[in-house]
Amino acid sequence: MATLLHIDSSVFPGEASSSRSVTAAFRKTWEEQHPQGTVIYRDLAANPVPHITADAWSAGYAAPSERTPEQSAAFAARVKLIEELERADAVLIGAPMYNYAIPSTLKAWLDNVLLLGRTAGETPSAQGTPVIVIASRGGSYAPGTPREGYEFVQNYLEAVFTGTLGMDLDFIVPELTMAPRNPAMSELVPLYEASRRRAFEDATTKAKELAERLAA
């Protein structure tokens, strides 16, 4: 049966987080399709991975026999994350926008799993693996909106997952999530509600489609 790697990075718990709510809906449908399957779960807010260090980085370019004890320990932590990615048949990531970018905890995870000659390079080890990113945001940065130029989440993740890791990337974008809590955005509440409904529908649909594709 298929293995799903599920990563959340929102600092907010449960239903207080739009990205967590949608990843939970995706995972629920996925597990219904794969009751005997495996889910590897990482909550990067509750249990952040180490930010990349000089030892962790340089160890990736040194022969095992030449690594210092510090390099070996740091690289072992990276390898564990890389192996989780390589073992996954599909990847689900909650990536809320914080200050126009992804959470630093998610960036730390990416810095650890990006390894030239293994996950990156001519033949990336996770090449072709589908990855669904729930890219929630408090406002809207869609084409044609006033803040279109501030969209650094999807552009960055496209470069990493598609351009570098060679993965099959798809986005679900719940937007305007601040509208219900910000009086200045009250007129945007109907658009927020429509976006939220669409995000949950897309999560359910994509989870079913992906499950069927992997089972074929």
Side-chain angles (χ1 to χ4, degrees):
M1 298 297 290
T3 296
L4 175 70
L5 173 59
H6 174 188
I7 296 172
D8 279 323
S9 61
S10 172
V11 298
F12 299 104
E15 294 183 0
S17 163
S18 293
S19 64
R20 286 181 186 270
S21 296
V22 179
T23 60
F26 184 104
R27 176 171 169 175
K28 179 176 182 293
T29 302
W30 173 275
E31 290 180 323
E32 290 171 351
Q33 302 295 314
H34 292 286
Q36 304 302 319
T38 300
V39 176
I40 302 169
Y41 181 60
R42 282 195 174 270
D43 185 337
L44 298 179
N47 297 291
V49 301
H51 281 79
I52 200 77
T53 63
D55 284 332
W57 184 86
S58 59
Y61 302 96
S65 61
E66 297 175 353
R67 292 172 188 156
T68 66
E70 293 78 14
Q71 285 178 316
S72 296
F75 192 65
R78 286 187 73 185
V79 168
K80 182 177 181 181
L81 299 174
I82 289 169
E83 288 177 342
E84 288 178 351
L85 177 64
E86 293 172 337
R87 194 158 67 245
D89 297 292
V91 180
L92 171 66
I93 297 177
M97 178 185 282
Y98 292 161
N99 300 315
Y100 311 119
I102 61 174
S104 63
T105 52
L106 182 54
K107 178 61 164 59
W109 179 82
L110 287 168
D111 286 341
N112 275 280
V113 300
L114 282 163
L115 179 60
L116 187 63
R118 183 163 176 174
T119 59
E122 292 186 7
T123 55
S125 56
Q127 187 171 20
T129 303
V131 52
I132 307 292
V133 173
I134 314 302
S136 60
R137 61 274 317 275
S140 179
Y141 303 83
T145 61
R147 292 199 170 187
E148 174 184 356
Y150 290 82
E151 166 48 75
F152 302 115
V153 170
Q154 289 177 262
N155 292 342
Y156 170 68
L157 294 179
E158 178 76 37
V160 172
F161 284 113
T162 302
T164 304
L165 297 174
M167 299 176 73
D168 181 11
L169 175 64
D170 198 359
F171 285 106
I172 297 175
V173 185
E175 62 180 8
L176 301 168
T177 62
M178 286 297 296
R181 297 187 290 276
N182 185 346
M185 298 175 67
S186 59
E187 64 181 21
L188 299 174
V189 168
L191 292 177
Y192 151 74
E193 292 174 340
S195 176
R196 180 177 172 82
R197 284 195 302 271
R198 187 164 55 249
F200 280 105
E201 290 169 359
D202 286 350
T204 300
T205 299
K206 291 178 187 297
K208 287 181 178 178
E209 291 175 346
L210 188 53
E212 291 172 358
R213 190 172 102 195
L214 292 174

